[in-house]
Amino acid sequence: MRNNSVRHLTIAALLIGLGIMIPMVMPKIVIGPASFTLASHVPLFIAMFFSPAVAIAVALGTTFGFLVSGLPVVIALRALTHVIFATIGALYLQKNPQIVLQNGQFTLANVRFQMYNVVLGLIHAAAEVVVVLAFNMINLGTPGTYDGGVFYFYFVLLGFGGVIHSLVDYNIAYFVAGTLSKHFDIPVFTKALKLQKEVAGNVKTAR
């Protein structure tokens, strides 16, 4: 039990480091005034395949990292909202690990996982829209003035754009975790394989 805790703590620390570093080095897609950094959420999404505790630790750790690195406060606040979808998603994976496999195999064309991905993407984007809107209204007294209008900025760029960004990053994380699970213990994938073997064993017994 202690070894497992140390392992998870080490993994969380590594993922926090990656979560802080990636936004600084990866290319950004800029659609003014919004910008989207490719793979910026990948470490957090990978953490969700380990446990809710690891996911929460990575979300809080990256938030603190952004806060002390001199980035705008609103970026740290957006990162803080990640605790919401990370907790929900990680808890769901703990209870339903089988969704990471389709017919016993890892594949990106996994309908159940992609439906779960879409729901998390909506939660992810909605939380960020709310925090940016609240921050701007507190800071400016208004939602702000943007080219294309407030609706375009919040609901098209941050909202729809945020969902697409989340979907892409989670698929990258899913691919990385699924590939690594063939050689290392990624808890959710390990549980899914165990359940798959139990189901196959029960079918053979029934016959």
Side-chain angles (χ1 to χ4, degrees):
M1 188 72 175
R2 179 179 173 79
N3 287 340
N4 195 48
S5 297
V6 172
R7 178 173 179 265
H8 280 192
L9 186 62
T10 303
I11 288 167
L14 290 171
L15 291 173
I16 289 169
L18 284 172
I20 294 170
M21 183 184 71
I22 285 174
M24 298 178 181
V25 300
M26 288 296 284
K28 290 180 172 58
I29 298 172
V30 179
I31 308 174
S35 67
F36 306 94
T37 305
L38 182 65
S40 59
H41 305 102
V42 168
L44 176 56
F45 284 133
I46 290 176
M48 291 163 60
F49 292 116
F50 283 88
S51 73
V54 173
I56 292 169
V58 173
L60 294 176
T62 50
T63 298
F64 180 74
F66 294 149
L67 197 60
V68 300
S69 65
L71 291 171
V73 174
V74 69
I75 292 178
L77 291 175
R78 286 174 66 178
L80 184 59
T81 68
H82 295 170
V83 173
I84 299 169
F85 79 78
T87 303
I88 294 170
L91 286 170
Y92 187 83
L93 287 174
Q94 290 293 307
K95 293 180 180 179
N96 303 277
Q98 67 276 10
I99 72 164
V100 300
L101 300 177
Q102 181 165 284
N103 299 323
Q105 300 294 321
F106 162 72
T107 171
L108 288 173
N110 181 338
V111 176
R112 290 185 302 175
F113 182 82
Q114 296 303 342
M115 289 176 64
Y116 156 82
N117 193 4
V118 169
V119 172
L120 273 195
L122 291 170
I123 296 170
H124 181 175
E128 289 203 14
V129 167
V130 169
V131 78
V132 173
L133 178 61
F135 177 82
N136 285 346
M137 291 186 74
I138 291 169
N139 249 15
L140 308 175
T142 69
T145 303
Y146 306 98
D147 292 338
V150 170
F151 178 85
Y152 173 74
F153 175 70
Y154 286 103
F155 294 97
V156 177
L157 285 184
L158 282 185
F160 180 72
V163 171
I164 299 302
H165 188 193
S166 183
L167 291 176
V168 170
D169 278 5
Y170 209 167
N171 272 305
I172 294 172
Y174 180 48
F175 175 78
V176 171
T179 303
L180 290 176
S181 70
K182 297 173 184 177
H183 308 284
F184 303 99
D185 174 27
I186 310 286
V188 169
F189 283 88
T190 301
K191 287 181 182 178
L193 286 169
K194 184 178 178 182
L195 285 172
Q196 184 69 29
K197 288 177 181 177
E198 288 176 357
V199 170
N202 290 337
V203 170
K204 286 182 180 178
T205 303
R207 288 177 179 172

